[in-house]
Amino acid sequence: MGRYLLFSGWAKDREVLDIACGNGYGTHLLSRVAKRVTGVDLNIPLVEFARRHNAAPNIRYLDQDLLDLPKGERY
C-alpha cells in the first residue's frame, strides 16, 4: 500500500500502468487521482476479483503477461 500512496501524487491526472496489480486494491487507490489506470497481472483469479471488487469507470484490468502487451498501444 505504501508504494501506491507514494506514487498517488505523481499519478495525478496521468494515465498509469499498474504492473502486477494483484487484487486491484492499489489500482483502485490510484484511480482516485489518475486520469486512467490499467492494472495488469498474470493471476487470472486475482484479476477477476479486481474486476468485481475494485472497479471504477477509469480502470481497466488485463489478465496477461506484461511482455505480451501489444507494443505501441496506450494503456
Side-chain angles (χ1 to χ4, degrees), residues 30-71:
L30 291 173
S31 77
R32 294 178 183 175
V33 296
K35 181 178 178 180
R36 187 171 102 174
V37 185
T38 301
V40 180
D41 203 291
L42 282 172
N43 188 316
I44 294 170
L46 278 178
V47 173
E48 290 172 353
F49 179 93
R51 287 177 178 146
R52 284 191 312 273
H53 299 284
N54 288 307
N58 63 337
I59 295 176
R60 161 171 87 153
Y61 291 105
L62 302 175
D63 54 352
Q64 66 185 94
D65 190 324
L66 172 67
L67 299 175
D68 293 334
L69 292 176
K71 293 179 180 149

Side-chain angles (χ1 to χ4, degrees), residues 3-19:
R3 68 180 169 157
Y4 291 104
L5 294 175
L6 175 69
F7 285 106
S8 63
W10 177 86
K12 184 171 173 46
D13 299 323
R14 294 182 185 228
E15 294 182 15
V16 177
L17 179 60
D18 184 11
I19 300 165

